[in-house]
Structure formats: C-alpha cells, structure tokens
Amino acid sequence: MCGIVGYIGEKKCVPILIEGLKRLEYRGYDSAGIGTIEDGECKVYKKTGKVSQLEDKINGREIKTPLGIGHTRWATHGAPTETNAHPHFNGKNSILVIHNGIIENYATLRKALISSGFNFISETDTEVLVHLIDSFKKKGFSLFESVRYALNEVEGTYGIAVISSDEPDKIIVAKKGSPLVIGIGDEENFIASDVSALISYTSQIVYLEDGEIAEVKKDSFCAKTISAVDIEKEIHEVTMSLDEISKGGYPHFMLKEIMEQPESIRNSMRGRLLHKEGTAKLGGLVGFEDRIADSKRIIITACGTSWHAGLVGEYMIEQFTGIPCEVEYASEFRYRNPIIGKDDTILFISQSGETADTLAALKEAKRRGALCLGVVNVVGSSIARESEAGVYIHAGPEIGVASTKAFTSQLIVFALITLLIARKKQLSHVDGKTIIKEIESLPEKIEKILKLNDHIEKIAEEFKDSLNFLYLGRGYNFPVALEGALKLKEISYIHAEGYPAAEMKHGPIALIDKNMPCVFLAPSDSVYEKIISNIEEVKARKGRIIAITSENDDKIDKMVDYTIKIPDTIRMLMPVLSVIPLQLLAYHIAVKKGLNVDQPRNLAKSVTVE
Ligand code: G6P
C-alpha cells in the first residue's frame, strides 16, 4: 500500500526521500511524488510508475532544500494518475499533504468545502485534508493547530505528513489506523510510514499511536493527542536488519500477509456496512444494484485462488438471493461457446486484475452484452478498467506468490455483494443485521486463530515428509478444502487434492493408508455428523487425521491425531476462518522443507499469458 517518507535537517532532502521511497517499493504502488519548499514556495514533483521514473524526472534540477516529504501511492480513490498522486496542495500552493489510509467521510467534506469556495483538482479522498487544513489556517491558526482541527472532522484512517511554506521549519505528522514513525537524527529528523525507509539513517525511532499528532523540527519534536493533550513519547532503538524490516519483521512475505488478515479484511469492509439498514453499500456498484438483483443468472469467472473464492461466492449468492449462480474457470469459459446475454451478470474475480484468461473472458462476455463486474485488488488494473463496474477488495499489495489475504478479502466482498442483493430481494432486515454483526466479528476471530501458529508449526513438523495429502470438506468448506490443497501444492510441492468429503468413497478412499494425511474441515455446522462418519471411514483405514474443528468441540479430539480449534461463525462466513490454519500449515511445511515460500518454482504472481 501507500508509503510515506519525510526529511528535515541540513542536507539536501531529495536523495534521502528517493532512497526512502525505494525502500518502500516492496509494498506495491502505482505512482510516486515528492514535495519540497524551495525559495519560500512549495514545489511538487510527481510521476506515475516507478520511483526511478520520478528520480529521472527530478534529475538535473538543483534542489538544495533540506525539507521535503515523499509518497508512493497505491490507488484507492481515483485512478493512478499524476493528478491523483501525492503530495496534494491547496490553491495557493502553500500547504502540501501526503496521506496513507482512507477518509471515509470525504464526500460530505468535499461537498461542504466546494460550497465554501475551495477548488478540487483530483479525485482523491486526500485532497479534502489539504483544503480542510487550509480552511483552519485561513482562520489564523498555526499549521499544527490547523491539522489538528482538520483531523477532528475526519472519519476513517490516516497516516499523514504536512508541510507549509508559511512555516518552513517543521513537518506535522499524525496517525490513526495507518502507521507513522519519527526517526531521530543529529540536527536532522525523519518521518516515515515504515521504519524500513529510515533504517539506513537512524535506529532511534518514535512510534506515533492512533490519535496522536506531532510537530517535527530539525532538532526537536513534540507530540499531543488530537484532542490537544500533551504527551511524552519514548525513543526506541531499532535493531532489525533492512531485509527483516521490509517484511515487517517476518521471515517471508507470505507469513506477513497471513498475519495481516485481521487488518486486510477490515480494510475490505471499511465504510461499506450500513448498520441501520442491515445492508451493504458498494460505491463501485451504485446504479447497477437493480440490474444485478434482476439478473436471471450470475456467473463467476476466475482462475486459481480467485476461482476458489468464487465457489464460496456461489454458495452465498444462491443461499441468500435465490438467483442461480455458477462458477467457471476463465480459461474454459473463454474458449467454449457460453450461452450468455443481457440478463446475466458476470463477476470477474482477480487479485492482480491482469490474469490473461480472466481478462479475455471479460472481453468475450462484454461482447455478448452481459453485465460485467470486476472484483479486483489492484486499482487501475486491466480487469478493473475493462469492467463496467465493480468492487475493489482493498487487501493491500500481495507479494507472496501464493495468495492468502486476497482470498479472505475476496470472501468479504462476496459477503457484501450477497448482502446488498439479498436485501433487495428476500433477506429480512434482522437477518441482514445478523450478517453484518458476524462480518464485523471476523477480524478478532482471525486474531485468535493466528495465535495457534506455534501449534500448527508443530503439526507441520510431523507431516513435512508426507508425499500426498487429502483435504476434505462439505458445503461452504468444500472450496476451502480445494484452497488448502492448492496452498500446499504451490509452495511445498507435495501432491495434494481437495475433495467434497462425501465423494471420498467414490475414489480417494482407495488411497488411504497410514501414510496418507487427511485434513478435515469439521466445524460444528449442519453437516457435522456426516463429516464425523467420513472421519470414521478414514480412521478405519489407518489414515492420519488433522481436523479443523469448532472451539467447543470435544468429540473429534478423541478420534483424530491433531485438532486445530477455531471460533464459530455463521456458515457463509466460515471459510474466512477455516482457511487460515490451512494457509499456516502449508507455509510451515514449505519452510521446514527449505523451499522458497515467496517465489515457488514455476509460478508467477500475475499470469499475463494464456
Ligand atoms: C496465479 C497465482 C495465484 C492466483 C492466480 C489467479 O496462478 O499464482 O495465486 O490465484 O494466478 O490470479 P488473479 O490475480 O487473477 O487472482
């Protein structure tokens, strides 16, 4: 996601900012920008694409100034263009703002600011911050106070840095829900969204907490809460290596991304749940809701993990909306002669938004007049641009080749789409509210499951030398069985198959002996007793069993080799929880086999070829 870096001291700021931005590149971004104060005026340099392209753009200019801020943007509101890139500035070009996070009430604030005469040039939520700060400065407040007052009017999340040509001896920074640190130097100070941007300059770090704001000068800093209470901040000594830090302290991106899931799914649902109405609000589908609800059929098309998310989506849509739904591999869909037309809605699911088969299927479906919607992670990607409308999953950049957090975010978006359509059809207000409550409880439940990491690592040690694995689940957990098997295949190169548990007797049961581990998805739901029978069948053939069960289950413990206990939720949301232990199991097995977890052999993160 977006990155922030800033410098105030005695050196030229630009090389420091460029190096800091390069350190943040691993997070993924689509444009970059730098803002400085030169000869008493704010100056802004922006470029879409890579930081090196921004560097080329600035090269050759004599910029001596020792104060500047820099940003890498990963588009959320508005396409990745130079206008939408940060820093944003006010009309007089006297205030520059860079921002990570999402201002949820930006539309209301923007309207109010426009009617007070402020002129907007970008499509971003960030630009409201600039004008809001400006509106307080115009009333005579200092930069610090203006930022503080502005933030009191804002709903959502932010890590921000602000500079002004009127007070060119400081950077104002603040944080809520998006990280912001201050790096302490000698006659120089730094700010950044991530310690990795600063580690080659200083190891003395101050971590801002949510709701805190600080004024950073070259030789001092002071902090308050945004309700103006003074606070003493502690300076921490950071000892991590650069490599460790860029992975947030985790040994691999995949583990980092697994661990990020409480936060990434929060980002997927943020601002999209209408509690009072018991439904969802999806900005990207406004104007299309009735057409979707009136569709004769919904088709979901995708590849890989996104296809598995689509299978869960099918169960949700059919259970709650009554609209027939089918899921198809994009590669098959594009080459047969699918019978589709104007009454069909087709959802194209893709983390990267660039998968060639999914993109080609989209073009074909569009040609045939179906309503084509994208469910995509990467903003401004080809599938996002090519679709008529859609929903971004907002999982943040996913770097590990094996998809983890994008999957759970895709499931959240499916739940929101289902809620939106179902409430237009047969779902009651009360049931809508129950679903919302359950969706909101998921991040905390995932946190609980992530605490089982050590237990799962021990299980991985036991099974790392197995040559085959079987994953079995029913109903909503059948697609999770497929996804668990795929995760293991992708990164550990162990042969693994996912099956609907009841299908086991039609083939896979022939494979079961003492060398065949079976992973059962067995939460306490409507098919629990049936799953118990399947477990018995495997046990009778001496198969070894790992079972994912509900927290309060004590029956399965006695029947199997290992249990991994997870919290309960409603059936439609169970995959968001039950997939987490399977991601961790695959991860630990691969690590124990000494394999390259983040870049497994032969696989690519974004498959842009057929
Ligand atoms: C590749 C990746 C998978 C991903 C699939 C679909 O195979 O390795 O992790 O699930 O592509 O990618 P998409 O970006 O369209 O979701």
Side-chain angles (χ1 to χ4, degrees), residues 40 56-57 70 166 211 219 263 277 290 351 365 383 417 467 529 561:
D56 290 345
K57 184 171 176 173
D166 298 334
D219 48 10
E263 191 50 29
E277 296 86 342
D290 289 335
Q351 186 286 128
I383 292 172
I417 294 175
L467 300 178
E529 289 303 330
D561 298 79

Side-chain angles (χ1 to χ4, degrees), residues 209-223:
E209 299 299 333
D210 280 354
E212 292 180 356
I213 175 168
E215 180 174 276
V216 183
K217 296 186 166 182
K218 75 172 184 182
D219 48 10
S220 65
F221 76 94
C222 63

Side-chain angles (χ1 to χ4, degrees), residues 383-404:
I383 292 172
R385 287 199 312 271
E386 198 68 41
S387 314
E388 277 164 80
V391 187
Y392 283 118
I393 65 168
H394 292 319
E398 194 180 61
I399 294 165
V401 165
S403 185
T404 51

Side-chain angles (χ1 to χ4, degrees), residues 302-307 349-356 358 383 398 400-404 406 410 483 486-487 490 603-607:
C303 303
T305 289
S306 298
W307 184 78
I349 320 302
S350 176
Q351 186 286 128
S352 61
E354 301 297 346
T355 302
T358 313
I383 292 172
E398 194 180 61
V401 165
S403 185
T404 51
Q410 286 165 340
E483 176 60 9
L486 177 65
K487 287 286 88 70
E490 283 178 308
L603 297 178
K605 184 71 191 152
S606 174
V607 182

Side-chain angles (χ1 to χ4, degrees), residues 266-327:
R266 259 185 213 116
N267 288 336
S268 307
M269 65 180 87
R270 179 167 286 128
R272 291 171 159 179
L273 294 167
L274 298 181
H275 296 83
K276 232 163 82 199
E277 296 86 342
T279 187
K281 177 184 77 179
L282 293 164
L285 297 185
V286 170
F288 291 90
E289 296 101 326
D290 289 335
R291 195 164 155 206
I292 305 169
D294 293 340
S295 306
K296 291 226 167 70
R297 189 173 51 151
I298 293 178
I299 301 172
I300 299 170
T301 300
C303 303
T305 289
S306 298
W307 184 78
H308 293 155
L311 288 178
V312 179
E314 175 190 18
Y315 281 72
M316 290 185 193
I317 289 169
E318 290 208 336
Q319 184 187 348
F320 290 96
T321 72
I323 304 174
C325 181
E326 49 198 75
V327 188

